[in-house]
Amino acid sequence: MAKYQELADTVFRGDAAKCRELSLKLVDGGAGPIEILNEGLYVGMAFVGDKFKSGEMFIPEVLRAANAMHESMDVLRPLLTETEEISKGTVVFGTVQGDLHDIGKNLVCMMLEGGGFNVVDIGVDIPAEKFVEEVKKNKAKVLGISTLLTMTMPSIDDVVKAVRADNVAKDVKIMIGGAPVTRQYADLIGVDGYAPDATGAVDVTNELCK
Ligand code: B1M
């Protein structure tokens, strides 16, 4: 809707102060928080995703856009009532034990938030039991497991086995990714999804949550 286009453009440009200002203006004008999210913020972030995918936008710009979106989210959050379902589902996301890389993980988490998911980022160097515990605690629909090191790739399989062995956590959909991870590896260890990059991760998560 035209009314929300300026906000979507502002997210795209990564102007956090303007995002806050426009969100407050839309709220004052009677717009609902869900509409603002769906028609403004998510539209802007989807555009960011497209441009990142096509190589027209780079990591720092994506992070700036995500930051701008968060500024608007701070305005909207108090207005959302408990009954309003703003998220498409909860994604628990972490990097396996032994791996401290977090730039890619953070980027994927931000894009997932921009795609309308509630993301619980459990951090880096996470042991398998902690993944299981967080899936259960957060009633996650999807579990994202990341690693950048070839050496720690087997830890992905350890997490998958621990999750599948748990009576409560076992049905969560599992997506994996990170530079050394391949679709073949995902097929080999029997997970539900694999994505090579942040925008791919949003597409796969949407599929897994259908
Ligand atoms: Co390290 N490192 N690093 N490192 N590091 C790599 C990964 C490496 C390829 C460099 C190299 O040798 N050419 C190499 C790994 C080789 C391998 O095993 N295949 C390596 C190594 C060896 C190491 C150390 C072992 C070095 C040492 O100490 N001898 C050490 C390990 C520490 C540890 O983790 N225990 C180490 C340390 C570090 C720093 C701390 C210095 C720093 C990390 C800082 C940080 O993250 N806060 C660092 C960095 C920066 C890199 C490189 C240069 C950049 C990684 C990065 O942030 N990329 C990297 C070389 C490179 O990639 N050019 C390298 C940008 C980021 C946006 O991309 O993380 O790939 P990426 O994420 C992408 C996709 O992979 C995907 O989407 C993201 C966005 O598009 N994705 C997912 C990621 N997770 C996903 C999950 C999904 C779906 C998609 O679903 C769940």
Side-chain angles (χ1 to χ4, degrees):
M1 248 189 282
K3 180 173 157 190
Y4 301 104
Q5 193 56 49
E6 192 182 358
L7 181 59
D9 292 343
T10 308
V11 169
F12 177 66
R13 288 201 319 277
D15 185 340
K18 185 83 179 166
C19 267
R20 171 175 284 271
E21 184 195 316
L22 286 175
S23 302
L24 286 167
K25 206 165 118 188
L26 284 164
V27 169
D28 284 348
I34 301 284
E35 265 181 304
I36 299 175
L37 271 173
N38 288 335
E39 310 290 336
L41 303 185
Y42 293 163
V43 171
M45 280 309 282
F47 197 44
V48 170
D50 290 345
K51 293 288 176 191
F52 183 55
K53 202 184 233 168
S54 64
E56 292 166 82
M57 234 176 147
F58 300 98
I59 293 165
E61 295 160 297
V62 176
L63 295 176
R64 244 187 37 203
N67 183 46
M69 185 192 76
H70 279 151
E71 196 72 24
S72 286
M73 292 290 282
D74 287 347
V75 173
L76 302 183
R77 209 167 282 118
L79 305 173
L80 295 161
T81 67
E82 278 178 14
T83 50
E84 278 174 326
E85 183 55 74
I86 61 156
S87 124
K88 295 181 193 166
T90 296
V91 182
V92 164
F93 204 108
T95 299
V96 297
Q97 189 157 35
D99 189 344
L100 302 174
H101 294 87
D102 71 354
I103 299 169
K105 169 186 69 60
N106 295 346
L107 191 59
V108 177
C109 285
M110 284 176 174
M111 291 303 290
L112 286 171
E113 276 190 354
F117 295 94
N118 171 39
V119 179
V120 180
D121 178 354
I122 59 173
V124 296
D125 194 19
I126 304 297
E129 320 81 68
K130 178 77 173 162
F131 276 97
V132 177
E133 186 190 317
E134 293 290 337
V135 164
K136 292 197 281 190
K137 189 169 96 192
N138 295 289
K139 299 185 170 58
K141 272 193 183 173
V142 176
L143 170 62
I145 313 171
S146 174
T147 195
L148 281 210
L149 298 172
T150 313
M151 197 176 64
T152 51
M153 267 176 67
S155 301
I156 296 183
D157 197 25
D158 295 343
V159 176
V160 173
K161 288 194 172 110
V163 169
R164 298 302 186 217
D166 186 280
N167 268 339
V168 179
K170 68 179 182 347
D171 294 325
V172 70
K173 302 281 186 201
I174 300 180
M175 169 174 69
I176 67 172
V181 179
T182 59
R183 183 172 300 285
Q184 285 89 325
Y185 182 67
D187 292 342
L188 182 75
I189 64 170
V191 291
D192 305 287
Y194 154 77
D197 53 30
T199 40
V202 176
D203 295 341
V204 169
T205 309
N206 273 318
E207 278 301 311
L208 296 179
C209 285
K210 262 184 191 163

